[in-house]
Amino acid sequence: MTILIAVLGDQLTHDLASLGGVDRSDAVVLMMEVGDETTYVRHHKRKIALVLSAMRHFAQELRDRGWMVDYVRLDAPDNSGSFTGEIVRAAKRHRPASIRIVEPGEWRVHTAIQRWAELCAIPVEVLPDDRFICGILEFQTWAQARNELTMEYFYRDMRRKTGLLMNAAGKPEGGQWNLDKDNRAPPRRGTTYPQPQHFPPDEITREVLDMVAGRFAEHFGRLENFGLPVTAAQAREALAHFVRTALPDFGTYQDAMVTGQDWLYHSWLSPALNLGLLTPLEVAQAAADAYARGDVPLNAAEGFIRQIIGWREYVRGYYWLEMPAVAQANALDAARPLPEFYWTGETEMLCMAEAIRNTRDNGYAHHIQRLMVLGNFAMLAGVRPQEVADWFLAVYVDAYEWVELPNVIGMSQHADGGRLATKPYAGGGAYINRMSDHCATCRYDVKQKVGPDACPFNALYWDFLARHERRFRRNRRMVQMYANWDRMDPAQRDAYRSSASAHLETLQPAAAGWAH
Ligand code: FAD
Ligand code: DLZ
Ligand code: SF4
């Protein structure tokens, strides 16, 4: 009895649960390139190229391993344009006894799958995605036992569960769970930085690049110099390259920003991880092994592993716990439209212009650029969180709603009212100046507090605290900021607020049509 196994574009893992325990001679693997997935937001061109190229490579590998693959191409004349449309058509083509699929990464697709059994009149089996270290139900049980969803405690549980960086006595390696205090060094100057490994496009990728350049010409972002890993073998090479060249300094300079340096010591492994070309456990294990060999210091291995088995697993659990309501959350009542320069990069704020250039050229910005520059500015300016979320979902090669939405709504915009992060990630120019070399050559003066030449982050920061005083004044972690505000001369407070208003008035809203 034939089984139809649907494999989605971010499920490109050979030991995917749905591919296990099946007689290959009696199964058809269905992979679908569909218009809906390429345009539910107008993804960065590079992301579309990556996903479709990786899907085509994976299909080829499945065939080489003896699977029968029914691959629906985007340019097929009878392509229905949606997963559901293609499932119905495939059910008619193959007349399977049942359909199997691993639970999808996104709520939109989860909702669509609920209708498949009825539409196809056959059973649909949805299997847990065991590539994640923490299951969805496991996270829900963990969360139910707590008032606050503190990432640090979740992370410790994941360390215990995986045994990563744990000693024989069941204690954290080195005696501490978290070495973040060692990981806040400003950028190292006068040095060369490692670069991610570049994989020249093969014939499959070149064909996809040509198609994307034509069909998605209006989408944001550049395709030039495409060199992302598109197979599991390449992704493993990229992982080894990162461990060798960048991981040793990953921890120390994790929060640094340098003009013209797009990756610093970051891994740029999120695209491969989120597609399933790498699993979180193998990536974290590679860092732990490097530490065990003495190749990298503990603060690097711990800091990196925390991002993978801590933050990445935590935001995925949070997504499924809080959806669908969290997508509309707007606890700070932010109503401003997204400024146009997020799409054009045309701003005199050098930190913003640099992060947006990196985003346009590579579909990348590292965590501190996303959080403390792009996200911080939007929150301080009071931009509507759903517009911010649409932007982040559209412009990054690694963006999938399960990981993007918690990071935007919860971590960077505080729009969930503090469910994910107890304190808003807000900062003025001084923070960016400490962690980057941008301010030295910016048209604005980071040391000036108010006026047309002052760094806009300075006034916007105090204006944000003043606007949300009732919400944040009693927050234990913000007592010091409000004490500083209280000590300020009232004329200084007024000057901050009018300087912020003057800057906000200069912001041009983005024209419709960039994201949707
Ligand atoms: P590295 O710095 O090398 O970190 C290693 C890995 O840890 C990453 O590849 C990633 O898998 C994981 N990781 C690190 N931080 C996080 C985090 N906060 N949440 C989840 N995983 C994390 N990450 C995405 O994968 N997709 C997104 O759409 C996305 N949107 C974001 C939006 C905002 C506003 C913010 C603040 C963060 C977002 N992140 C997102 C998290 C993080 O910024 C990226 O994972 C990281 O920049 C990817 O680059 P890298 O592989 O070089 O990361
Ligand atoms: C991101 C993306 C794009 C651009 N295109 C496709 C596609 O044509 N076919 C496909 O299976 N997946 C695609 N993806 C990834 C999906 O959006 C992702 O698998 C689901 O959202 C998971 O819920
Ligand atoms: Fe950014 Fe302000 Fe520094 Fe300019 S001065 S780079 S706007 S923080």
Side-chain angles (χ1 to χ4, degrees), residues 248-299:
D249 287 311
F250 172 89
T252 310
Y253 302 107
Q254 199 177 336
D255 292 354
M257 295 173 278
V258 177
T259 308
Q261 294 297 331
D262 295 336
W263 290 279
L264 299 173
Y265 301 98
H266 293 274
S267 68
W268 200 205
L269 291 172
S270 51
L273 261 167
N274 295 350
L275 285 175
L277 301 179
L278 291 170
T279 64
L281 209 48
E282 76 178 302
V283 173
Q285 189 65 58
D289 292 347
Y291 169 72
R293 289 194 304 270
D295 292 349
V296 307
L298 186 57
N299 70 312

Side-chain angles (χ1 to χ4, degrees), residues 111-126:
T111 311
I113 292 173
Q114 307 303 307
R115 296 177 51 230
W116 289 2
E118 193 193 332
L119 288 172
C120 301
I122 46 171
V124 175
E125 189 187 6
V126 182

Side-chain angles (χ1 to χ4, degrees), residues 8 10-13 15-18 101-106 126-138 273-276 279-280 312-313 316 320 402:
L8 303 179
D10 57 355
Q11 299 183 338
L12 310 182
T13 314
D15 57 4
L16 195 69
S18 55
I101 186 163
V102 165
E103 62 197 359
E106 298 180 314
V126 182
L127 303 172
D129 191 344
D130 58 13
R131 297 172 303 169
F132 287 93
I133 295 160
C134 180
I136 291 173
L137 291 177
E138 186 184 346
L273 261 167
N274 295 350
L275 285 175
T279 64
R312 187 173 186 272
E313 296 286 326
R316 193 257 187 166
W320 288 104
W402 66 264

Side-chain angles (χ1 to χ4, degrees), residues 347-352 373 428-433 436-447 453-458:
T347 165
E348 292 183 302
M349 292 180 277
L350 186 59
C351 53
M352 295 288 282
V373 177
Y431 173 83
I432 296 173
N433 190 30
S436 79
D437 68 353
H438 299 323
C439 304
T441 48
C442 180
R443 162 255 184 276
Y444 292 109
D445 182 351
V446 73
K447 298 275 191 281
D453 296 327
C455 167
F457 279 90
N458 292 338

Side-chain angles (χ1 to χ4, degrees), residues 250 266-270 273-274 304 307-308 311-312 315 364-367 370-371 392 398-399 403-404 407-408 411-412:
F250 172 89
H266 293 274
S267 68
W268 200 205
L269 291 172
S270 51
L273 261 167
N274 295 350
F304 183 72
Q307 308 312 313
I308 309 273
W311 280 111
R312 187 173 186 272
V315 300
Y364 182 64
H366 64 71
H367 189 66
R370 297 189 205 198
L371 184 64
F392 273 96
D398 58 20
V403 51
E404 171 272 339
N407 272 297
V408 174
M411 191 186 296
S412 101

Side-chain angles (χ1 to χ4, degrees), residues 178-200:
N178 180 322
L179 282 87
D180 223 11
K181 62 173 179 4
D182 300 336
N183 289 1
R184 296 190 185 123
R188 186 154 60 179
R189 288 161 210 265
T191 184
T192 51
Y193 295 93
Q195 298 295 314
Q197 190 166 359
H198 182 92
F199 299 91

